[in-house]
Amino acid sequence: MTTLASAIRAALLTADPRAKVMVTRDVARNWRQGRLEFVFDAQMPDEPARPAHPELLPPQQMPRRSKGGSERGRIAMWHSLAHIEFVAIDLALDIVGRFGEIMGAEFVDDFLSVAADEAMHFALLARKLENLGSDYGALPAHGGLWQAAFETRHDVRARLAIVPMVLEARGLDVTPATLQRVRSAGDENGARILERILDDEIRHVGFGTKHFVALAEKAGESPQQSWQGLVSKYFRGSVKPPFNDSARLAAGLSRDFYNAIAS
């Protein structure tokens, strides 16, 4: 029987986007159907494999996206979203491969379902780009999205604090405005994609918060204070409003987590 760690490592080292989607779905399905052994006999790579395109640029070198409604601006927006979801596949796989043994089967269940969701999101966005006459890889993309994973590779609490509870939670804040713009432009297909992503991301942030709170309470610590300390240590940026308080609360991330450090 194939081990869970080796299956995840193979998915992380799959560079082609379409192939990564299929391999990730297979990992999640095989785990769910009991075809992967709960054995961690393979080391996770520090960096996942990446396709030749898109070109990855430092944040300060990324071209500024037009806020207008031009075709080029719309393609740039959907490409950026596709890249975020592509990296999110690897983030979900890596957290399982790196920390699943110490965290247990429920943690694996949760985050492999996240990986499958992210693969589906990417596939929807890649198809959207194709319908607009473009494709994933046609434009440069943010090269720093993996940095949070690398810097928290040694500590599951730090990883949970930064990736689901800061980065994905930020998606809860900004997606509604993007959704409104897309719908106002008459793009109902795009609006449905964003609605699906938003609903799933609430669940993803919820998984991160649930496991983080359980770890903090097991250690006899305040979840809120523990999270704030880890964010101050590992997050290169500020936790800033506006916040989608209702979506965050639905994910278990109440204001007493982030009010004290919001800038």
Side-chain angles (χ1 to χ4, degrees), residues 36-214:
L36 293 176
E37 190 176 3
F38 188 79
V39 171
F40 291 80
D41 57 347
Q43 187 173 359
M44 296 303 108
D46 284 342
E47 294 272 348
R50 291 281 177 254
H53 300 286
E55 179 187 8
L56 300 181
L57 298 177
Q60 63 271 20
Q61 293 182 22
M62 282 293 294
R64 295 179 67 86
R65 286 211 314 265
S66 168
K67 294 187 180 295
S70 69
E71 189 73 8
R72 183 176 180 180
R74 287 195 294 272
I75 288 172
M77 182 197 77
W78 291 110
H79 191 278
S80 175
L81 293 173
H83 181 62
I84 290 168
E85 297 297 328
F86 184 69
V87 176
I89 299 171
D90 288 326
L91 290 170
L93 290 170
D94 184 80
I95 199 172
V96 177
R98 200 169 291 276
F99 304 115
E101 185 172 25
I102 62 171
M103 293 298 291
E106 182 182 347
F107 183 90
V108 173
D109 290 344
D110 288 346
F111 283 99
L112 283 186
S113 76
V114 171
D117 285 347
E118 306 295 18
M120 181 266 293
H121 296 166
F122 174 78
L124 290 172
L125 293 164
R127 189 178 309 130
K128 179 69 174 175
L129 283 168
E130 291 169 3
N131 291 339
L132 291 170
S134 186
D135 57 70
Y136 176 63
L139 299 174
H142 192 306
L145 295 181
W146 185 254
Q147 184 176 21
F150 181 78
E151 292 182 352
T152 59
R153 66 194 183 281
H154 61 290
D155 184 346
V156 64
R157 287 207 291 176
R159 175 69 64 85
L160 291 167
I162 303 304
V163 175
M165 297 175 72
V166 173
L167 301 181
E168 289 196 83
R170 186 59 181 159
L172 304 184
D173 302 332
V174 302
T175 300
T178 306
L179 171 58
Q180 184 175 9
R181 289 198 305 272
V182 167
R183 178 159 280 143
S184 296
D187 184 357
E188 278 303 316
N189 168 263
R192 286 194 298 272
I193 292 172
L194 292 176
E195 285 177 335
R196 175 61 188 269
I197 290 173
L198 180 59
D199 287 346
D200 288 342
E201 296 297 343
I202 291 172
R203 190 165 56 88
H204 299 173
V205 176
F207 287 150
T209 304
K210 174 184 74 173
H211 289 288
F212 181 86
V213 168

